[in-house]
């Protein structure tokens, strides 16, 4: 395994991590204020701060406000000194970015993954994309701290292997091993929704929360679970596969072979399937005219658009999906008891109709008033949620609090 680079390795003592976190969260901040917040002695803070300044991870900024005497020098994260590569490997496309330590993306490429791609070709495709991104950025290898990957499907995060990527039809892709060999920098791999949850913790609506769940509703339905500010991964890599939570034993057949899974009522493709069936059965909808002769082209996006324009069938389909989603989320609330649920993915763009039906369903079913009022928010990271999550996998390691 490729570890973090020299100056970062030696920096990972408890007090240094603590100070680094305070500077990240509260900077620009003075040495005196750090000493006050950490209860470390001013000389101890001074020593650690000098080490951090030497490593270039922090820098001194313009002077702060003085309470009378000499103005204190303020410290902040030197966000433009070190960079991270983040990859989002989805069903059809690969997105690769270079971000600074504050999660600001300054280079991005998006490529369509060729259909029926084989495992070896996919690995080459990913390597090529990272090479192109690096070349376009003009950064030296020393400035790049690592590569984080959010991969759809089931991921063995310990060994960085994509165990099953259902939408590519591939198994056992050794992403970490291949990319560490190629680029000689640490590579960390997580399931895409787990990565997304880490992104929310570092840069989004999960910032400052201890326990929350991030749910992605798109082609499938998945959850990333954060407990005590850490990713909950489970014992064999399938924690968060809520799309296959049974909601209705007599429900439609799911892609996994079971009946009535949550995603067979709420994912974009299932929503489209349900609407098409109703149109074929003779229900009125503006979509039957728009897609006349080509009903199979109806997708989640078209349904959201039609609903916005008042199409009764689309509106009722979205409300129905919202109700089912609410049932699934209530089950999650009763299992994990998060303080907030963050919704992302395509269906999150469906707007108030789906969201209100979902909230209503939760209010009807949750056991206590507190549980009924669990905060539900839409992700603000939008389409970059996974790729920022991938970036945060490396950040999380750089800033990890470890004694040593
Ligand atoms: Zn299923």
């Amino acid at each position: 395994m490729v570890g973090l680079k020299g100056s970062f390795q030696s920096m990972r003592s408890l007090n240094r991590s603590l100070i680094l976190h305070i500077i990240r969260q509260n900077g620009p901040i003075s040495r005196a204020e750090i000493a006050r917040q950490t209860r470390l002695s001013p000389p101890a803070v001074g020593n650690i701060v000098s080490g951090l300044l030497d490593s270039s991870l922090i820098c001194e900024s313009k002077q702060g406000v003085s309470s009378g005497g000499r103005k204190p020098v303020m410290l902040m994260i030197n966000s433009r000194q070190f960079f991270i590569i983040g990859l989002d490997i989805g069903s059809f496309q690969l997105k690769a970015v270079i971000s600074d330590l504050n999660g600001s993306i300054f280079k991005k490429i998006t490529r369509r993954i060729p259909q029926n791609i084989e495992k070896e070709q996919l690995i080459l495709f990913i390597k090529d994309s990272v090479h192109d991104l690096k070349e376009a950025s003009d950064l030296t290898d020393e400035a790049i701290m690592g590569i984080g990957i959010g991969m759809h499907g089931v991921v063995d995060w310990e060994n960085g292997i994509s165990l099953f990527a259902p939408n590519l039809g591939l198994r056992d892709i050794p992403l970490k091993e291949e990319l560490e060999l190629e680029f000689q920098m640490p590579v960390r791999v997580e399931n895409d929704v787990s990565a997304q949850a880490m992104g929310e913790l570092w840069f989004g609506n999960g910032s400052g929360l201890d326990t929350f769940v991030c749910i992605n509703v798109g082609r499938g339905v998945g959850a990333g679970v954060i407990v005590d500010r850490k990713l909950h991964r489970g014992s064999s890599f399938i924690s968060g596969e809520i799309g296959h939570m049974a909601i209705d034993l007599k429900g439609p057949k799911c892609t996994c072979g079971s009946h009535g899974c949550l995603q067979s009522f709420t994912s974009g493709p299932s929503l489209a399937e349900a609407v098409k069936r109703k149109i074929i059965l003779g229900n009125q909808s503006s979509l039957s005219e728009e897609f006349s002769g080509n009903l199979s082209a109806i997708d989640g996006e078209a349904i959201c658009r039609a609903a916005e324009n008042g199409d009764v069938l689309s509106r009722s389909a979205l409300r129905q999906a919202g109700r089912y989603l609410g049932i699934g989320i209530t089950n999650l609330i009763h299992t994990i008891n998060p303080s907030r649920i963050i919704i992302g993915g395509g269906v999150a763009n469906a707007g108030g109709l789906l969201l209100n039906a979902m909230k209503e369903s939760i209010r009807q079913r949750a056991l206590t008033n507190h549980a009924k009022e669990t905060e539900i928010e839409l992700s603000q990271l939008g389409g970059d949620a996974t790729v920022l999550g991938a970036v945060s996998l490396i950040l999380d390691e750089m800033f990890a609090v470890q004694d040593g």
Side-chain angles (χ1 to χ4, degrees):
M1 180 195 277
V2 177
L4 287 173
K5 293 171 186 178
S7 56
F8 288 94
Q9 286 287 22
S10 59
M11 224 165 46
R12 293 169 72 186
S13 80
L14 194 60
N15 287 339
R16 285 180 201 186
S17 294
L18 186 64
I19 289 177
L20 203 49
H21 265 289
I22 287 177
I23 296 174
R24 192 185 85 82
Q25 278 163 350
N26 307 328
I29 185 170
S30 68
R31 287 170 175 79
E33 181 58 21
I34 293 173
R36 199 186 65 75
Q37 288 190 19
T38 55
R39 299 184 181 188
L40 292 169
S41 70
V45 169
N47 262 339
I48 293 173
V49 163
S50 314
L52 289 172
L53 283 169
D54 285 346
S55 76
S56 301
L57 189 57
I58 63 169
C59 57
E60 292 179 327
S61 84
K62 56 185 184 302
Q63 295 187 327
V65 181
S66 162
S67 51
R70 197 158 55 91
K71 284 184 176 176
V73 176
M74 305 299 270
L75 302 163
M76 55 196 277
I77 295 290
N78 191 359
S79 65
R80 290 268 155 169
Q81 183 78 21
F82 297 106
F83 299 84
I84 294 170
I85 291 179
L87 300 181
D88 169 6
I89 307 176
S91 313
F92 304 111
Q93 87 172 14
L94 174 144
K95 190 191 282 182
V97 303
I98 294 192
S99 143
D100 67 14
L101 300 186
N102 287 328
S104 301
I105 292 172
F106 77 100
K107 268 282 181 272
K108 182 193 294 191
I109 57 172
T110 305
R111 287 186 180 163
R112 213 171 165 74
I113 300 173
Q115 279 191 330
N116 303 321
I117 195 166
E118 307 226 341
K119 190 156 61 173
E120 288 68 28
Q121 290 174 302
L122 178 71
I123 290 168
L124 278 179
F125 178 80
I126 296 169
K127 286 179 182 171
D128 277 352
S129 305
V130 174
H131 278 301
D132 291 349
L133 183 73
K134 277 180 65 195
E135 267 161 38
S137 75
D138 276 339
L139 290 175
T140 61
D141 276 0
E142 286 65 43
I144 301 175
M145 298 315 299
I147 302 173
I149 303 179
M151 175 79 191
H152 85 273
V154 183
V155 171
D156 167 355
W157 62 273
E158 274 174 318
N159 297 302
I161 298 170
S162 159
L163 294 177
F164 180 40
N167 299 324
L168 296 172
L170 298 176
R171 286 182 189 270
D172 304 322
I173 315 164
L175 291 171
K176 178 181 162 68
E177 187 188 338
E178 286 282 350
L179 294 190
E180 284 191 345
L181 205 62
E182 180 85 7
F183 296 101
Q184 295 298 311
M185 55 179 74
V187 175
R188 302 292 175 261
V189 191
E190 291 282 355
N191 158 271
D192 54 358
V193 192
S194 292
Q196 209 171 316
M198 287 299 287
E200 295 291 349
L201 181 68
W202 278 83
F203 306 118
N205 292 7
S207 167
L209 297 182
D210 283 337
T211 300
F212 68 91
V213 176
C214 180
I215 298 180
N216 189 289
V217 189
R219 281 186 60 79
V221 179
V225 179
I226 301 286
V227 176
D228 294 336
R229 302 185 64 74
K230 287 197 174 63
L231 204 50
H232 174 76
R233 295 164 165 129
S235 65
S236 60
F237 318 120
I238 62 161
S239 167
E241 288 287 343
I242 62 162
H244 303 286
M245 172 193 285
I247 297 289
D248 178 355
L249 298 181
K250 296 194 177 85
K253 194 164 182 180
C254 174
T255 50
C256 73
S258 299
H259 282 267
C261 293
L262 178 60
Q263 76 179 37
S264 63
F265 294 103
T266 54
S267 72
S270 327
L271 201 60
E273 205 45 54
V275 166
K276 269 181 271 180
R277 214 170 30 242
K278 292 223 158 145
I279 290 175
I280 290 166
L281 288 173
N283 287 267
Q284 294 292 314
S285 166
S286 61
L287 291 168
S288 47
E289 204 167 300
E290 191 183 340
F291 290 88
S292 77
N294 189 20
L295 288 183
S296 59
I298 293 176
D299 58 10
E301 223 171 288
I303 295 169
C304 293
R305 224 173 28 238
E308 230 168 82
N309 294 328
D311 181 52
V312 175
L313 182 63
S314 299
R315 292 177 71 82
S316 122
L318 285 181
R319 266 196 298 268
Q320 166 96 327
R323 276 195 292 273
Y324 279 113
L325 210 48
I327 296 173
I329 290 175
T330 309
N331 291 344
L332 260 187
I333 290 173
H334 290 157
T335 315
I336 294 163
N337 193 196
S339 59
R340 184 177 295 165
I341 308 260
I342 302 167
I343 313 270
V347 174
N349 301 329
L353 211 58
L354 184 140
L355 210 61
N356 289 338
M358 190 178 82
K359 287 181 177 169
E360 183 55 35
S361 187
I362 296 168
R363 269 195 297 272
Q364 283 167 359
R365 289 160 196 276
L367 282 179
T368 61
N369 286 338
H370 253 286
K372 285 179 197 298
E373 296 306 323
T374 304
E375 290 177 324
I376 313 276
E377 289 185 3
L378 294 179
S379 171
Q380 287 161 1
L381 300 178
D384 287 332
T386 301
V387 91
L388 280 175
V391 165
S392 70
L393 299 178
I394 300 294
L395 271 178
D396 202 56
E397 193 152 331
M398 285 174 69
F399 284 72
V401 175
Q402 280 188 15
D403 211 358

